Amino acid sequence: MARSLRVQYPGAVYHISSRGNSRQDIYLDEKDRLRFLKFLDSTIKRYGWSCHAYCLMTNHFHLLIETPEPNLAPGMKRLNSRYALSFNKRHQRIGHVLQGRYHSIVVEKHSYLLELCRYVVLNPVRAKLVENPEEWFWSSYRATVGIIRPESFLTVDWILGQFAKGKRNAARLYADFVRQGYDRSPPWEQLEGGIFLGEEGFAQTVREQFLVRSDSVAVPRVQRGAGRPSLEDLFPKSILKCKSRRNRKITEAFESHLYTQSEIGDKLRLHPASISRIIKDWKGKC
């Protein structure tokens, strides 16, 4: 079965969510929530992350995490496994607590992070658990607007800095911004390839700078294709007239844009074995 692509690079920003197995509750009481926040705190400090926003619901959670180093996967593995073990031990249960792997979306910071900070803290309002975000004790909203002191792992300076220099005025403007989002649609309609959220060209930039081919065939087709040029664009008629240029493009399509040898072969009417040989020969020249 294809597994979701994990994109990790220095300075990446993510929206992360994880849901209870079979949609079951993952927090049964206040102590569970406090334990999760304790594990989140230690994970963020261990891996050097910044947490811009969070929200603990009943059967899932949302995090907005920035990673100076490409280490999201080990950090999330540590967080989820430690919490699951703690939950099962405390409630004398066995089996999975969380449903599969965590879900992560790569976010372009300057264009979508602020919108997602609003989206995350409005989850309890949309779920009709509370009427206003400040009534939900298990999100970053109360700390960001200054009702309570921020947890040591929470970074509020970036969000508030988008509104004003003074924290009190910035918090008021941020609260207004959140209220204006009550009726807004979630930003997921703008997703590219199921994992990239940013302005036009963001997915392609990330792909060109940071993605490598390893295990790419096991990645869902929609994610492998995010932001890459089409085969028609890669192989115009002018390219096909020159075998050397064609072979270079074949290697580029395979290595950089993650097309399979079968896909390239179908486009060029060549057997996948011929595509494989061309790639091997071209790489041997470099």
Side-chain angles (χ1 to χ4, degrees), residues 39 79-89 95-98:
F39 292 135
L79 172 63
N80 282 358
S81 62
R82 291 189 72 189
Y83 179 71
L85 288 171
S86 172
F87 181 92
N88 278 343
K89 182 178 181 180
H96 295 292
V97 176
L98 299 168

Short mmCIF file of all heavy atoms in Angstrom, two decimals, residues 39 79-89 95-98:
data_model
loop_
_atom_site.label_atom_id
_atom_site.label_comp_id
_atom_site.label_asym_id
_atom_site.label_seq_id
_atom_site.Cartn_x
_atom_site.Cartn_y
_atom_site.Cartn_z
N PHE A 39 4.44 15.61 27.19
CA PHE A 39 5.23 14.92 26.16
C PHE A 39 5.52 15.86 24.99
O PHE A 39 6.60 15.81 24.40
CB PHE A 39 4.50 13.68 25.68
CG PHE A 39 4.40 12.58 26.70
CD1 PHE A 39 3.20 11.90 26.90
CD2 PHE A 39 5.49 12.23 27.47
CE1 PHE A 39 3.11 10.90 27.85
CE2 PHE A 39 5.41 11.22 28.43
CZ PHE A 39 4.21 10.55 28.61
N LEU A 79 6.73 11.46 20.16
CA LEU A 79 5.55 12.03 20.81
C LEU A 79 4.39 11.05 20.84
O LEU A 79 3.81 10.78 21.90
CB LEU A 79 5.14 13.32 20.09
CG LEU A 79 3.81 13.94 20.53
CD1 LEU A 79 3.86 14.38 21.99
CD2 LEU A 79 3.46 15.14 19.63
N ASN A 80 4.04 10.52 19.68
CA ASN A 80 2.87 9.65 19.61
C ASN A 80 3.06 8.33 20.35
O ASN A 80 2.14 7.83 21.00
CB ASN A 80 2.49 9.39 18.15
CG ASN A 80 1.75 10.56 17.52
OD1 ASN A 80 1.48 11.56 18.19
ND2 ASN A 80 1.43 10.46 16.25
N SER A 81 4.25 7.76 20.24
CA SER A 81 4.47 6.47 20.91
C SER A 81 4.50 6.63 22.42
O SER A 81 3.94 5.79 23.15
CB SER A 81 5.77 5.83 20.41
OG SER A 81 6.90 6.64 20.70
N ARG A 82 5.12 7.69 22.90
CA ARG A 82 5.19 7.89 24.35
C ARG A 82 3.79 8.15 24.92
O ARG A 82 3.44 7.64 25.99
CB ARG A 82 6.12 9.05 24.70
CG ARG A 82 7.59 8.78 24.42
CD ARG A 82 8.47 9.87 24.97
NE ARG A 82 8.54 9.83 26.42
CZ ARG A 82 9.10 10.79 27.17
NH1 ARG A 82 9.63 11.85 26.58
NH2 ARG A 82 9.13 10.68 28.48
N TYR A 83 2.99 8.94 24.19
CA TYR A 83 1.65 9.20 24.70
C TYR A 83 0.80 7.94 24.67
O TYR A 83 0.06 7.65 25.61
CB TYR A 83 0.96 10.31 23.92
CG TYR A 83 -0.44 10.53 24.46
CD1 TYR A 83 -0.63 11.11 25.71
CD2 TYR A 83 -1.56 10.09 23.76
CE1 TYR A 83 -1.90 11.26 26.24
CE2 TYR A 83 -2.84 10.25 24.27
CZ TYR A 83 -3.00 10.83 25.53
OH TYR A 83 -4.26 10.97 26.07
N ALA A 84 0.89 7.16 23.59
CA ALA A 84 0.10 5.94 23.48
C ALA A 84 0.44 4.96 24.59
O ALA A 84 -0.46 4.35 25.20
CB ALA A 84 0.32 5.30 22.11
N LEU A 85 1.72 4.79 24.88
CA LEU A 85 2.13 3.89 25.97
C LEU A 85 1.59 4.37 27.31
O LEU A 85 1.10 3.58 28.12
CB LEU A 85 3.66 3.79 26.01
CG LEU A 85 4.32 2.99 24.88
CD1 LEU A 85 5.84 3.17 24.92
CD2 LEU A 85 3.96 1.52 24.99
N SER A 86 1.68 5.68 27.52
CA SER A 86 1.20 6.26 28.77
C SER A 86 -0.32 6.09 28.91
O SER A 86 -0.83 5.73 29.98
CB SER A 86 1.57 7.74 28.84
OG SER A 86 0.96 8.37 29.95
N PHE A 87 -1.04 6.33 27.81
CA PHE A 87 -2.50 6.21 27.82
C PHE A 87 -2.93 4.78 28.14
O PHE A 87 -3.79 4.55 29.00
CB PHE A 87 -3.04 6.64 26.45
CG PHE A 87 -4.54 6.58 26.33
CD1 PHE A 87 -5.31 7.69 26.62
CD2 PHE A 87 -5.18 5.41 25.92
CE1 PHE A 87 -6.69 7.66 26.50
CE2 PHE A 87 -6.55 5.35 25.80
CZ PHE A 87 -7.32 6.48 26.10
N ASN A 88 -2.32 3.82 27.46
CA ASN A 88 -2.68 2.42 27.69
C ASN A 88 -2.36 1.97 29.11
O ASN A 88 -3.13 1.22 29.74
CB ASN A 88 -1.99 1.52 26.68
CG ASN A 88 -2.72 1.47 25.35
OD1 ASN A 88 -3.88 1.86 25.25
ND2 ASN A 88 -2.04 1.01 24.33
N LYS A 89 -1.21 2.38 29.61
CA LYS A 89 -0.82 2.00 30.96
C LYS A 89 -1.77 2.59 31.99
O LYS A 89 -2.22 1.89 32.91
CB LYS A 89 0.62 2.45 31.23
CG LYS A 89 1.13 2.04 32.60
CD LYS A 89 2.58 2.47 32.80
CE LYS A 89 3.09 2.05 34.17
NZ LYS A 89 4.51 2.46 34.38
N GLY A 95 -3.41 -2.40 22.68
CA GLY A 95 -3.76 -2.10 21.30
C GLY A 95 -3.42 -0.67 20.91
O GLY A 95 -2.84 0.09 21.68
N HIS A 96 -3.80 -0.31 19.69
CA HIS A 96 -3.47 1.01 19.15
C HIS A 96 -4.33 2.10 19.78
O HIS A 96 -5.53 1.93 19.97
CB HIS A 96 -3.68 1.02 17.63
CG HIS A 96 -2.75 0.11 16.89
ND1 HIS A 96 -1.40 0.33 16.81
CD2 HIS A 96 -2.99 -1.04 16.21
CE1 HIS A 96 -0.83 -0.63 16.10
NE2 HIS A 96 -1.77 -1.48 15.74
N VAL A 97 -3.69 3.21 20.08
CA VAL A 97 -4.40 4.40 20.56
C VAL A 97 -4.68 5.34 19.40
O VAL A 97 -5.78 5.88 19.28
CB VAL A 97 -3.58 5.12 21.66
CG1 VAL A 97 -4.29 6.41 22.09
CG2 VAL A 97 -3.36 4.21 22.84
N LEU A 98 -3.68 5.51 18.54
CA LEU A 98 -3.79 6.43 17.41
C LEU A 98 -3.96 5.64 16.11
O LEU A 98 -3.44 4.53 15.97
CB LEU A 98 -2.56 7.32 17.33
CG LEU A 98 -2.35 8.22 18.55
CD1 LEU A 98 -0.98 8.85 18.53
CD2 LEU A 98 -3.43 9.30 18.61
#
